[in-house]
Amino acid sequence: MGANVSSIDTNCDDGLNYLPFKTKLDDIPEACVALLLSYLDPPEICKLSRINRVFRDASSADFIWEPKLPSNYNYILQELLALKVDDALCKKDLFAKLSSPRSFDGGTKQVWIDKKNGGLCLAISSKGMAITGIDDRRYWNHIPTDESRFQTVAYLQQIWWLEVDGDLEFQFPEGAYSLFFRLQLGKATKRHKRRACNYEHVHGWDLKPVQFQLTTADDCLVTSRCYLDNLGTWIQHHVGDFVVKDATVPTKIKYSLTQIDCTHTKGGLCVDSVLICPSSLAKQLTSC
């Protein structure tokens, strides 16, 4: 019995010593790699695509990227942005195209998808909203700044009646969305190549809160109030949330920022933009 055991052990050792090859990452079938990558987020996929040729080729499979694109990507590309979609363009390239902000509606709006999860985001500049008194330079001015994605913000010097309104009709994918106003007290400037902020006109915001409001065509109404105190800092002020149940029907929303108590003046406010993003991303933003 001992001889037999010894013989078996020897045969096993010999077998291990004389394997014809060693398995490497290059030997994994491309289909298996693609299946593995399909469970990862886009940044992880792109990172692993640098490992070798097999991972690079597998990372371009359409079935990986199709679920990561918003369901309305054809609407965004063709109807909204008037971009011709080449049938030969793979879904990975479509994702890359949409993950960079694209301007529309005369440059007053931008749309893009989040690089991590493909969630659709949309921003509306101050020039894309109705602002009471915006044409009177005694009250408002549009000032250039590199701190805005639109390279300009509306700056309030002083006014009795503050009213900023906007409306939007857009075909959102199904899901829950949050809407924010991006605001700052004070005018940002550059001094000796360093950021500075001018608070000369800032006043009146500690007396009464501003009111934010969001309404949708399906009778959703959200109202919130907040005292503005963010001197020299851009803040995303959360207005409210809404839910899209049918991605084939355009969603109609209205939003506003008001402080219409005429017992005192207020000034020194920068209005940059309105941001709409999936509620799952809202936790990353600062709000009041």
Side-chain angles (χ1 to χ4, degrees):
M1 181 179 295
N4 290 337
V5 172
S6 177
S7 175
I8 292 173
D9 290 342
T10 301
N11 290 336
C12 287
D13 289 341
D14 289 344
L16 290 173
N17 289 333
Y18 293 99
L19 283 174
F21 60 86
K22 292 183 180 180
T23 303
K24 299 180 295 183
L25 283 175
D26 289 337
D27 300 319
I28 303 176
E30 186 178 309
C32 293
V33 174
L35 183 61
L36 171 65
L37 295 178
S38 68
Y39 292 98
L40 304 179
D41 292 332
E44 297 171 325
I45 296 171
C46 294
K47 185 176 181 179
L48 290 176
S49 69
R50 304 187 188 104
I51 290 178
N52 58 29
R53 179 189 57 79
V54 174
F55 276 74
R56 183 180 67 251
D57 294 345
S59 69
S60 297
D62 279 350
F63 81 89
I64 294 177
W65 295 95
E66 180 80 34
K68 303 184 190 308
L69 287 166
S71 60
N72 65 339
Y73 70 86
N74 277 321
Y75 159 77
I76 297 172
L77 288 169
Q78 298 178 4
E79 297 185 34
L80 195 66
L81 304 179
L83 296 176
K84 293 183 179 179
V85 182
D86 188 350
D87 293 336
L89 199 65
C90 69
K91 296 299 189 293
K92 180 181 179 180
D93 291 337
L94 287 178
F95 187 95
K97 186 183 291 289
L98 287 174
S99 62
S100 297
R102 299 278 176 168
S103 298
F104 66 101
D105 198 9
T108 62
K109 298 180 179 68
Q110 288 186 354
V111 63
W112 69 97
I113 58 176
D114 182 70
K115 292 181 180 180
K116 186 173 183 179
N117 63 12
L120 189 138
C121 304
L122 189 146
I124 303 146
S125 76
S126 58
K127 289 186 175 181
M129 293 179 262
I131 302 177
T132 300
I134 191 64
D135 295 325
D136 193 328
R137 293 179 65 87
R138 292 176 299 173
Y139 307 125
W140 290 91
N141 287 294
H142 284 293
I143 59 175
T145 174
D146 58 6
E147 295 187 358
S148 168
R149 65 171 59 250
F150 296 100
Q151 302 301 307
T152 183
V153 299
Y155 178 68
L156 172 64
Q157 296 185 109
Q158 178 173 286
I159 205 165
W160 292 88
W161 182 286
L162 171 68
E163 186 172 18
V164 181
D165 297 294
D167 60 80
L168 177 71
E169 184 172 340
F170 192 85
Q171 190 173 311
F172 289 94
E174 294 180 8
Y177 294 85
S178 298
L179 187 144
F180 299 82
F181 264 95
R182 187 171 187 258
L183 309 173
Q184 175 184 261
L185 291 181
K187 183 193 298 185
T189 59
K190 288 284 183 66
R191 187 175 300 167
H192 304 299
K193 297 184 179 181
R194 300 186 65 179
R195 187 182 192 271
C197 209
N198 185 331
Y199 306 124
E200 177 186 359
H201 299 117
V202 178
H203 70 282
W205 305 109
D206 58 335
L207 300 178
K208 292 289 180 66
V210 299
Q211 176 174 292
F212 300 103
Q213 191 169 90
L214 166 66
T215 61
T216 65
D218 59 357
D219 298 326
C220 170
L221 171 62
V222 182
T223 300
S224 59
R225 292 175 176 82
C226 178
Y227 282 93
L228 301 183
D229 58 4
N230 52 305
L231 284 170
T233 304
W234 288 106
I235 296 290
Q236 300 279 9
H237 292 276
H238 184 213
V239 178
D241 304 326
F242 63 95
V243 176
V244 177
K245 298 180 180 178
D246 188 349
T248 64
V249 178
T251 299
K252 298 179 181 180
I253 63 173
K254 293 183 178 182
Y255 48 89
S256 65
L257 159 65
T258 58
Q259 215 291 22
I260 55 178
D261 185 335
C262 293
T263 60
H264 66 283
T265 61
K266 38 266 176 185
L269 175 67
C270 281
V271 179
D272 175 27
S273 58
V274 159
L275 171 68
I276 301 173
C277 67
S279 296
S280 59
L281 300 176
K283 294 179 181 179
Q284 304 173 17
L285 303 174
T286 302
S287 61
C288 66

